């Protein structure tokens, strides 16, 4: 049994022995270009982040607030600590150098090294996003497959209405409803906030992570499932799927082997976009659930005008964004035979 | 070793509470028998358990520094770890703490401190006069005076003060100061051992340090040898909450037993869900500030007219959601010298118009600077003032400034603005706000008769005579001052009905952060 979906790579691998060297180097070149672009993007981000935070008013005044007038010594000390006497370009390159060598500077708010302050929190946030992502992918694909299978029937209609409704709800409404339902008002089954760890990582009390994860899944899965559903439908209508059916391949296998693999590519793209969004969107969810991640730190640092912290956290979020998109691009190419051959030939 | 997780509310308690709350929430049957009732505050208290408190705010600025608390959770932590020599009771009156007494000499220039016997630090060391001298020296350190030591540093002469015996200290002042005891009762003047290290903080307070994560939580164990009776609970955890909703949810879900600074609008709803509001009077105020040295406010008739324009009750009802007490353009309502007898000023548009006419300002047009950075009630009351002023033909242009601008270059020199002040008694308040040289004298008030009265009062040992002098001083501010003080805030906190022992307190939120008196109502299982 041959099908069109996998026939193209078969051709390229059949001819591979002669072309291995050149196709390998083509891949390396292609990858190097993508990575280079990603680094360029990050560099531009660093310029934006630094100048946006360094150029917005007088940081010393912002930090001291009411005390600025009454304690000129503290103002002078802060100005010295922030090297405000140097030109902004010099400060930028010093900061960039520090960022690259892992010397992230000290928080203005409490003088501790930024790396120490954000390390655990970045891990906590990453775990939250990762668990959500791991749940989102199968949930979204399962819903999409069921929906596509029952296309036009009542099941599909009901699922689509639910998905559109959930997609339309802002995540803070979802969070509030979930808390009211499971923690405070109706049932009393789950912790309402993620504080139960007593300082230990949040996953040491798995129950306290259920609601934040659920909120993120509900916020993201509907989009993904709708995109996957529509690309599934497109594939199911295509000639080669029709051909497979005509050849008597069972619908179940048509869906799994022929349709799903080809619907994965748009799925990867939308999942990547949503995960990248999660890197920022998680801030709000963390806030509502008092989750000890970077969200509260970022809000707090902005409020404190704690520039070293804001800069590092903004760069982390930017890096996640760029990184996820890079991975998604590579995966999309790998899953698209035509694109794959285009690069290697 | 003590079992740390000795007791938390059992699953059954939580379910009971939750089902009850669910019923109340779904059917709207508030107060139907199943909701845990308000605990009986007089019932005998039980020992054990881990008590969690949700503190508002906090973040990376969090610290355990005894003399530089920054955030609200810092204040809560200070109250557990450290204790001043004297302290404020629930009525905002001085009572002895680790010092048994503080007595002035005839002209208020020397004060004698007697320390209580058997006050033990968390590390087992007994509090001595040396520790007190060390602490006072640290809090008034001229290089880095603590927030509670700035005023103290101006009057205290530590070099000429001496330790009489291990329990007695003679404090020498450089000027007569009748209310030194009030400065020594501030929570920011806690007593430390001479070998104090902020990384392993030790004090004499009811709870001892266990762990601290800035922006997240701090954890404390009971100080078993606490001189004022050890706390009921084994352990205390103070969690930081950046978000009001999360804080309230944690309370209703039973994850914390109390929260401070509950949003006013929630006072009613939490009562249907197994929690109780804790309402305290405070002397905190959000005044309008008029500069008495620039036109048009330099004309006392204009100032009095603007004071008469204000509908104070409306401001309390709308800007503070009703959680306020009427103000009468004078501060320090809990001071024994507070001039209660001066008539309550009420809105009088005719009188205001007439005063403005006399001043030649019938078409007065002024700019009022406000900012959300001033705190709850500020922007709301400014908006109300604009409306109320219209009735008297006064145009008020509202300038809503960003925090950086409001507290920027022109802070303390705005002609007409707002500010916030916490509870203080009269003499310390005057020193910061109402005399020349006061750090935050935003009205630029500088009346020689007034200042003379205050200085005379500081030296007056007889309380009745002193209060009379302060009364006369308040009369001057009542008649000519630059503040419009329309009200004092009420403090709103909340606790779960599964705990008892928290009482209204005029000094700090949540029963003066008095978790040492809190206990669970159901016995440990």
């Amino acid at each position: 049994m041959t099908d069109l979906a996998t026939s193209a790579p078969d051709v390229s691998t059949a001819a591979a022995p002669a072309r291995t060297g050149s196709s390998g180097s083509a891949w390396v070149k292609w990858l190097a270009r993508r990575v280079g672009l990603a680094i360029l993007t990050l560099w531009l981000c660093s310029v934006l982040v630094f100048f946006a935070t360094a150029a917005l008013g007088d940081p010393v005044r912002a930090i001291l607030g009411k005390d600025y007038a009454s304690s000129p010594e503290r103002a002078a000390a802060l100005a010295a600590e922030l090297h405000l006497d140097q030109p902004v370009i010099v400060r930028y390159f010093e900061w960039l150098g520090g960022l690259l060598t892992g010397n992230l500077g000290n928080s203005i708010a409490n003088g501790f090294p930024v790396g120490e302050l954000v390390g655990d929190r970045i891990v906590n946030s990453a775990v939250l996003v990762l668990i959500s992502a791991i749940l989102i992918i199968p949930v979204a694909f399962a819903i999409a497959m069921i929906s596509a299978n029952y296309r036009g029937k009542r099941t599909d209609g009901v699922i689509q209405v639910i998905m559109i409704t959930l997609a339309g709800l802002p995540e803070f409404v979802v969070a509030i409803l979930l808390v009211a339902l499971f923690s405070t008002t109706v049932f009393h089954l789950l912790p309402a906030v993620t504080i139960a760890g007593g300082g230990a990582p949040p996953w040491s009390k798995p129950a306290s992570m259920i609601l934040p994860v659920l909120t993120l899944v509900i916020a993201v899965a509907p989009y993904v499932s709708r995109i996957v559903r529509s690309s599934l439908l497109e594939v199911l209508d295509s000639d080669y799927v029709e051909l497979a059916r005509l050849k008597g391949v069972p619908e179940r296998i048509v869906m799994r082997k022929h349709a799903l693999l080809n619907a994965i590519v748009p799925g990867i793209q939308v999942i990547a976009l949503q995960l990248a969004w999660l890197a920022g969107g998680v801030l709000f969810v963390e806030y509502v659930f008092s989750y000890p991640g970077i969200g509260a730190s970022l809000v707090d640092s902005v409020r404190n005008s704690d520039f070293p912290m804001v800069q590092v956290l903004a760069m982390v979020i930017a890096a996640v964004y760029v990184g996820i998109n890079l991975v998604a691009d590579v995966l999309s190419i790998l899953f698209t035979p035509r694109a794959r051959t285009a690069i290697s030939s | 070793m003590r079992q740390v997780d000795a007791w938390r509310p059992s699953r059954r308690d939580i379910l009971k509470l939750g089902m009850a709350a669910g019923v109340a929430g779904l059917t709207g049957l508030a107060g139907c028998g199943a909701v845990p009732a308000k605990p009986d505050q007089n019932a005998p208290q039980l020992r054990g358990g881990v008590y969690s408190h949700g503190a508002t705010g906090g973040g990376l600025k969090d610290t355990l520094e005894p003399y530089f608390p920054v955030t609200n959770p810092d204040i809560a932590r200070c109250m557990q770890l450290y204790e001043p020599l004297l302290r404020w009771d629930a009525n905002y009156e001085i009572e002895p703490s680790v010092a048994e007494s503080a007595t002035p000499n005839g002209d208020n220039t020397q004060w004698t401190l007697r320390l209580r016997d058997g006050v033990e630090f968390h590390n087992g060391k007994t509090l001595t006069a040396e520790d007190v001298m060390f602490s006072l020296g640290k809090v008034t350190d001229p290089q880095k005076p603590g927030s509670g030591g700035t005023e103290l540093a101006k009057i205290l002469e530590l070099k000429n003060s001496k330790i009489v015996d291990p329990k007695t200290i003679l404090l020498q002042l450089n000027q007569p100061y009748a209310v030194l005891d009030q400065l020594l009762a501030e929570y920011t003047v806690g007593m430390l051992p001479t070998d104090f290290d902020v990384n392993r903080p030790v004090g004499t307070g009811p709870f001892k340090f266990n762990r601290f994560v800035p922006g997240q939580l701090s954890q404390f164990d009971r100080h078993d040898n606490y001189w004022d009776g050890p706390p009921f609970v084994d352990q205390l955890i103070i969690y930081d909450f950046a978000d009001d909703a999360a804080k309230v949810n944690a309370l209703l879900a039973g994850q914390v037993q109390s929260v401070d600074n509950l949003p006013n609008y929630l006072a009613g709803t939490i009562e249907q869900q197994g929690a109780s509001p804790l309402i305290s009077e405070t002397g905190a105020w959000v005044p309008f500030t008029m500069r008495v040295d620039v036109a048009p406010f330099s004309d006392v008739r204009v100032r009095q007219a603007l004071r008469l324009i204000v509908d104070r009750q409306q401001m309390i009802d709308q800007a503070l959601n009703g959680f306020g007490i009427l103000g009468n353009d004078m501060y320090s309502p809990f001071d024994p010298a507070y001039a209660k007898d001066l008539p309550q000023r009420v809105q009088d548009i005719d009188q205001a118009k007439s005063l403005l006419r006399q001043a030649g300002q019938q078409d007065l047009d002024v700019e009022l600077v406000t900012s959300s950075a001033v705190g709850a009630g500020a922007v709301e009351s400014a908006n109300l003032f604009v409306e109320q002023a219209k009735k008297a033909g006064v145009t008020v242009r509202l300038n809503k400034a960003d925090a950086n601008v409001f507290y920027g270059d022109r802070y303390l020199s705005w002609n007409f603005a707002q500010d916030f002040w916490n509870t203080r008694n009269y003499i310390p308040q005057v020193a910061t706000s109402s005399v020349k040289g006061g750090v935050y004298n935003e009205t630029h008030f500088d009346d020689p008769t007034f200042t003379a009265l205050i200085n005379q009062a500081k030296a007056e040992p007889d309380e009745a005579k002193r209060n009379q002098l302060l009364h006369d001083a308040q009369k001057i501010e009542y008649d000519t001052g630059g503040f419009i003080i329309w009200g004092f805030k009420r403090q709103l906190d909340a606790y779960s009905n599964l705990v008892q022992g928290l009482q209204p307190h005029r000094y700090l939120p949540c029963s003066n952060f008095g978790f040492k008196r809190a206990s669970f109502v159901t016995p440990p299982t």
Side-chain angles (χ1 to χ4, degrees):
Chain A
M1 180 186 84
T2 44
D3 61 62
L4 290 171
T6 46
S7 63
D10 287 346
V11 172
S12 82
T13 37
R19 290 214 308 243
T20 311
S22 72
S23 93
S25 73
W27 268 99
V28 169
K29 248 190 238 163
W30 177 83
L31 206 63
R33 219 182 108 241
R34 300 305 308 225
V35 172
L37 277 175
I39 291 174
L40 183 70
T41 314
L42 275 180
W43 176 73
L44 284 173
C45 284
S46 80
V47 173
L48 280 178
V49 165
F50 185 84
F51 286 94
T53 48
L56 289 183
D58 179 356
V60 177
R61 195 182 291 285
I63 292 158
L64 290 181
K66 188 171 173 167
D67 294 335
Y68 184 82
S70 59
S71 47
E73 320 82 41
R74 279 181 64 200
L78 260 176
E81 196 189 318
L82 294 172
H83 306 296
L84 290 185
D85 45 339
Q86 293 171 1
V88 72
I89 298 289
V90 176
R91 278 190 281 143
Y92 168 71
F93 282 106
E94 276 181 2
W95 171 75
L96 189 66
L99 203 61
L100 294 177
T101 54
N103 173 19
L104 305 178
N106 292 340
S107 155
I108 292 171
N110 59 12
F112 287 115
V114 171
E116 204 174 285
L117 288 173
V118 297
D120 283 353
R121 288 172 171 270
I122 289 176
V123 173
N124 290 352
S125 290
V127 168
L128 179 60
V129 171
L130 217 65
I131 293 180
S132 309
I134 290 170
L135 286 175
I136 285 165
I137 296 168
V139 165
F141 273 86
I143 294 174
M145 282 167 73
I146 294 169
S147 227
N149 208 21
Y150 290 97
R151 167 165 42 156
K153 305 219 178 82
R154 180 170 293 173
T155 317
D156 183 32
V158 170
I159 291 179
Q160 288 316 303
V161 167
I162 294 174
M163 289 298 119
I164 292 177
T165 312
L166 290 180
L169 282 180
E171 66 271 26
F172 67 87
V173 175
V174 174
I176 290 168
L177 288 177
L178 286 177
V179 169
L181 184 60
F182 291 112
S183 304
T184 57
T185 310
V186 184
F187 301 111
H188 232 277
L189 305 171
L190 296 170
V193 291
T194 314
I195 58 167
W203 51 89
S204 65
K205 298 258 173 160
S208 70
M209 288 192 75
I210 293 178
L211 290 184
V213 167
L214 205 55
T215 306
L216 287 178
V217 170
I218 290 178
V220 172
Y223 287 107
V224 181
S225 85
R226 278 178 57 76
I227 302 276
V228 174
R229 172 185 173 271
S230 64
S231 50
L232 264 179
L233 291 181
E234 211 173 289
V235 176
L236 284 174
D237 287 344
S238 67
D239 292 344
Y240 70 86
V241 169
E242 198 58 36
L243 184 67
R245 286 198 186 111
L246 288 173
K247 283 168 71 182
V249 180
E251 188 65 25
R252 193 165 37 91
I253 298 197
V254 169
M255 172 69 92
R256 216 173 53 220
K257 285 191 90 172
H258 298 230
L260 190 59
L261 274 177
N262 283 291
I264 274 183
V265 174
I268 288 174
Q269 289 296 336
V270 72
I271 287 172
L273 274 180
Q274 291 295 320
L275 284 187
W277 172 85
L278 271 187
V282 73
L283 303 192
F284 175 80
V285 172
E286 288 179 359
Y287 208 68
V288 170
F289 289 104
S290 263
Y291 187 91
I294 55 174
S297 288
L298 184 59
V299 173
D300 188 36
S301 302
V302 169
R303 195 180 291 147
N304 290 344
S305 305
D306 192 346
F307 299 110
M309 288 285 291
V310 174
Q311 288 162 351
V312 168
L313 289 173
M315 286 310 295
V316 166
I317 292 171
V320 169
Y321 219 98
V322 171
I324 287 179
N325 277 309
L326 182 65
V327 171
D329 279 355
V330 173
L331 284 180
S332 305
I333 297 288
L334 288 179
F335 278 101
T336 314
R338 230 168 306 153
R340 209 159 59 200
T341 35
I343 286 173
S344 47
S345 58
Chain B
M1 208 185 121
R2 198 170 48 240
Q3 178 74 28
V4 172
D5 279 339
W7 185 71
R8 294 169 187 276
S10 75
R11 190 172 174 75
R12 186 180 296 162
D13 288 328
I14 296 213
L15 283 173
K16 241 192 295 181
L17 183 64
M19 293 319 288
V23 170
L26 285 176
T27 62
L29 286 177
C32 68
V35 178
K38 245 183 149 154
D40 173 11
Q41 296 291 0
N42 298 319
Q45 290 190 270
L46 304 166
R47 295 206 172 273
V50 176
Y51 188 99
S52 301
H53 173 73
T56 305
L60 295 169
K61 285 189 178 176
D62 280 2
T63 168
L64 290 166
E65 287 278 357
Y67 300 145
F68 303 94
V70 184
T71 63
N72 176 58
D74 287 348
I75 301 174
R77 278 188 277 273
C78 269
M79 292 302 289
Q80 313 313 319
L81 290 172
Y82 316 113
E83 285 181 303
L85 291 159
L86 307 162
R87 66 186 180 196
W88 296 104
D89 69 6
N91 289 319
Y92 203 70
E93 283 162 19
I94 301 278
E95 68 176 12
S97 176
V98 298
E100 277 176 344
S101 65
T103 26
N105 65 350
D107 61 357
N108 295 335
T109 54
Q110 281 183 341
W111 283 69
T112 308
L113 303 175
R114 274 291 306 167
L115 297 186
R116 186 182 297 277
D117 279 330
V119 173
E120 202 179 289
F121 283 110
H122 301 147
N123 59 9
K125 187 175 136 9
T126 305
L127 174 79
T128 65
E130 269 177 33
D131 299 314
V132 174
M133 289 299 272
F134 165 79
S135 305
L136 290 177
K138 193 168 156 72
V139 74
T140 57
D141 181 355
Q143 299 301 315
K144 201 183 169 194
S147 47
T150 330
E151 181 68 11
L152 213 48
K154 286 183 207 154
I155 53 173
L156 202 57
E157 275 195 11
L158 271 189
K159 263 178 287 173
N160 299 324
S161 306
K162 57 176 185 279
I163 296 175
V164 180
D165 64 57
K167 295 277 159 223
T168 316
I169 297 156
L170 187 67
L171 289 180
Q172 177 69 47
L173 309 188
N174 59 19
Q175 54 176 286
Y177 201 83
V179 289
L180 184 76
D181 51 350
Q182 296 183 6
L183 299 184
L184 295 178
E186 290 300 319
Y187 73 93
T188 41
V189 192
M191 290 300 116
L192 313 175
T194 48
D195 57 353
F196 181 76
D197 171 15
V198 76
N199 296 315
R200 286 305 297 172
V202 163
T204 64
F207 288 94
K208 56 187 174 189
F209 173 76
N210 182 324
R211 61 184 270 133
F212 172 52
V213 187
Q216 281 185 41
L217 62 93
S218 40
Q219 196 171 334
F220 306 88
D221 296 327
R222 175 175 54 211
H223 178 26
D224 287 310
N225 294 338
Y226 182 54
W227 63 271
D228 199 14
F232 293 98
V233 297
D234 296 332
Q235 209 171 53
L236 168 71
I237 306 179
I238 297 175
Y239 289 100
D240 282 13
F241 277 95
D243 183 52
D244 277 341
K247 179 176 71 182
V248 174
N249 286 336
L251 175 74
L252 297 181
Q255 289 178 279
V256 298
Q257 278 70 53
S258 55
V259 299
D260 54 55
N261 298 295
L262 186 75
N264 288 341
Y265 64 90
L266 284 174
T269 39
I270 61 156
E271 280 186 288
Q272 301 165 17
Q273 306 199 33
S276 301
L278 182 67
I279 304 168
S280 310
E281 294 185 331
T282 79
W285 41 300
V286 185
F288 296 98
T289 60
M290 303 177 282
R291 262 183 70 174
V292 300
D293 58 343
V294 292
F297 307 107
S298 48
D299 189 327
V300 66
R301 289 169 298 194
V302 172
R303 303 204 292 272
Q304 293 300 84
L306 292 186
R307 284 168 155 189
L308 289 168
I309 280 172
V310 179
D311 180 343
R312 291 151 203 263
Q313 192 58 49
Q314 191 188 19
M315 285 201 176
I316 287 171
D317 290 344
Q318 294 185 18
L320 299 180
N321 288 53
F323 285 91
I325 311 158
L326 271 184
N328 199 19
D329 298 327
M330 292 174 297
Y331 38 80
S332 307
F334 303 149
D335 195 292
Y338 183 68
K340 294 184 187 70
D341 57 321
L342 295 179
Q344 173 64 49
R345 200 161 267 151
V346 290
Q347 188 180 46
D348 187 341
I349 298 293
D350 293 339
Q351 177 70 10
K353 276 184 175 166
S354 135
L355 279 169
L356 288 172
R357 236 186 340 270
Q358 289 167 36
Q361 296 280 5
Q362 40 288 55
D363 302 314
L364 186 62
D365 182 335
V366 290
E367 183 194 57
L368 171 60
V369 189
T370 182
S371 169
S372 55
V374 176
V379 176
E380 295 85 343
S381 59
N383 279 322
L384 285 170
F385 186 76
V386 172
E387 292 306 311
Q388 293 168 359
K390 276 184 195 155
K391 291 186 196 156
V394 176
T395 311
V396 179
R397 285 168 287 117
L398 205 55
N399 172 3
K400 283 183 195 148
D402 280 344
N404 293 355
V405 177
F406 189 89
Y407 289 117
D409 265 340
R410 296 194 57 199
Y411 174 59
L412 301 178
S413 59
W414 297 116
N415 289 351
F416 187 31
Q418 287 174 295
D419 210 347
F420 72 89
W421 289 94
N422 287 325
T423 313
R424 272 194 178 81
N425 267 354
Y426 195 66
I427 289 180
Q429 175 68 48
V430 164
T432 34
S433 71
S434 310
V435 288
K436 199 182 169 88
V439 189
Y440 297 112
N441 185 353
E442 60 273 88
T443 64
H444 294 219
F445 190 73
D446 179 21
D447 182 308
T449 327
F450 175 83
T451 311
L453 281 170
I454 296 292
N455 287 336
Q456 218 181 323
K458 281 185 193 170
E460 177 56 61
D462 181 80
E463 190 174 354
K465 285 186 196 155
R466 184 166 74 233
N467 288 353
Q468 185 54 47
L469 292 166
L470 296 180
H471 182 279
D472 296 348
Q474 289 174 78
K475 180 82 171 71
I476 294 177
E477 286 195 289
Y478 179 77
D479 290 334
T480 68
F483 287 119
I484 303 177
I485 301 170
W486 47 270
F488 298 96
K489 291 182 181 176
R490 278 204 169 94
Q491 173 69 31
L492 178 60
D493 311 300
Y495 58 91
S496 154
N497 286 352
L498 295 174
V499 295
Q500 69 182 93
L502 298 178
Q503 304 282 2
H505 201 291
R506 282 175 164 181
Y507 184 44
L508 293 176
C510 213
S511 199
N512 207 28
F513 295 117
F515 309 120
K516 61 182 174 186
R517 294 283 157 264
S519 65
F520 288 91
V521 289
T522 351
T525 44

